[in-house]
């Protein structure tokens, strides 16, 4: 009985969606064109994704798989036209096999191309060991490039406000208080994470201040994340009410 009721709910919802779109097109709120069908498709996919709030259903699974497939296909096309074609095909393959090429082939691209081919050998049991060279090169290069940037962005740039004088000439009272709070927050949070000393007396009181700074920071980060998700929800609701149903002008 439950499967039958779920089937009837799904069919009834799809039928209601089709009837609403027929009414919108008949009344002129949606144009009978590719733009109108694009709005209908966007509204249908939006409702299918949000149908997961009711329960897991075939409509949600179709929209989810369609989203993943389209995203993967779009990524492959962008990778080909933005990276592989100009950097490998036009620079190495075409000059090597075309007599009408005006520039010499860049043979230096053979080595990174071989590393890229080695990565696909991960699917072979006998030659999968060659893929380790590619992964080692990618991990080593990524670590060498990202570690200095991470240190500069998340460590050195965070140390600069802590080294700024609390009271200096030309500073406003608000700037001085802000610098003092930064210094207090850094010191109290660092003391909180010193677990080799028992948190009693002055150390315990300062560590409690560090907990307050951590909770405020986590709360602000969580609130920022929630507001970002709510802005996406508001955008989708505006699309449904304005572009699809025509309720909002």
């Amino acid at each position: 009985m439950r499967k039958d009721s779920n089937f009837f709910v799904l069919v009834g919802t799809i039928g209601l969606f089709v009837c609403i779109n027929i009414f919108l097109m008949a009344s002129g709120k949606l144009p009978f064109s590719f733009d109108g069908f694009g709005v209908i498709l966007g509204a249908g996919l939006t409702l299918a994704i949000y149908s997961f709030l009711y329960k897991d259903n075939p409509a949600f699974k179709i929209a989810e798989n369609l989203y993943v497939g389209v995203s993967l296909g779009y990524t492959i096309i962008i990778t080909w036209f933005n990276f592989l074609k100009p950097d490998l095909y036009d620079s190495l393959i075409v000059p090597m096999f075309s007599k009408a090429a005006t520039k010499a082939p860049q043979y230096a691209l053979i080595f990174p191309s071989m590393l890229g081919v080695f990565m696909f050998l991960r699917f072979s049991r006998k030659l999968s060991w060659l893929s380790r060279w590619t992964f080692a090169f990618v991990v080593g290069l990524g670590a060498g490039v990202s570690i200095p940037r991470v240190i500069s962005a998340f460590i050195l740039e965070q140390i600069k406000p802590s080294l700024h004088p609390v009271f200096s000439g030309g500073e406003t009272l608000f700037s001085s208080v802000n610098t003092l709070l930064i210094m207090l927050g850094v010191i109290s949070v660092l003391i909180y994470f010193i677990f080799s000393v028992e948190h009693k007396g002055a150390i315990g009181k300062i560590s409690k201040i560090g907990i307050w700074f951590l909770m405020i920071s986590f709360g602000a980060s969580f609130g920022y994340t929630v507001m970002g998700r709510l802005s996406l929800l508001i955008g989708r609701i505006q699309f449904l009410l304005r572009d699809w149903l025509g309720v909002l002008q």
Side-chain angles (χ1 to χ4, degrees), residues 31-214:
F32 191 77
S33 61
F34 286 106
D35 294 335
F37 285 106
V39 172
I40 294 174
L41 180 61
L45 292 176
T46 300
L47 295 175
I49 291 295
Y50 283 121
S51 67
F52 185 75
L53 297 174
Y54 167 66
K55 64 182 304 182
D56 194 6
N57 58 86
F60 168 76
K61 293 180 180 179
I62 292 174
E64 182 184 26
N65 293 325
L66 182 63
Y67 174 78
V68 174
V70 171
S71 300
L72 180 61
Y74 179 78
T75 303
I76 292 175
I77 295 299
I78 292 298
T79 302
W80 167 254
F81 283 101
N82 289 357
F83 300 101
L84 294 179
K85 187 177 185 299
D87 297 337
L88 179 62
Y89 182 77
D90 294 339
S91 301
L92 178 63
I93 304 300
V94 173
M96 286 179 61
F97 298 98
S98 178
K99 297 181 180 180
T102 58
K103 57 182 180 179
Q106 300 182 14
Y107 294 104
L109 297 174
I110 295 178
F111 177 71
S113 301
M114 291 178 59
L115 290 178
V117 173
F118 286 170
M119 186 174 291
F120 289 100
L121 296 179
R122 192 73 177 177
F123 300 101
S124 174
R125 293 183 178 180
K126 295 182 179 180
L127 301 177
S128 61
W129 60 274
L130 290 174
S131 63
R132 300 175 187 173
W133 293 6
T134 302
F135 285 108
F137 181 81
V138 171
V139 172
L141 179 62
V145 172
S146 61
I147 287 178
R149 294 182 179 180
V150 171
I151 293 176
S152 176
F154 294 97
I155 297 179
L156 299 180
E157 291 297 328
Q158 298 296 324
I159 293 177
K160 286 183 180 179
S162 304
L163 299 178
H164 191 274
V166 179
F167 302 102
S168 60
E171 294 285 345
T172 61
L173 179 62
F174 179 78
S175 299
S176 299
V177 172
N178 186 38
T179 306
L180 182 62
L181 288 175
I182 292 175
M183 183 183 68
L184 178 62
V186 171
I187 294 175
S188 60
V189 170
L190 289 177
I191 290 177
Y192 169 74
F193 284 105
I194 299 177
F195 301 112
S196 59
V197 179
E198 191 174 0
H199 291 182
K200 289 184 177 181
I203 299 297
K205 294 180 180 179
I206 296 176
S207 64
K208 288 182 179 179
I209 297 176
I211 294 175
W212 278 98
F213 275 99
L214 287 174

Side-chain angles (χ1 to χ4, degrees), residues 8 29 120 141 212 230 248:
F8 287 124
K29 292 184 178 181
F120 289 100
L141 179 62
W212 278 98
L230 286 178
L248 299 179

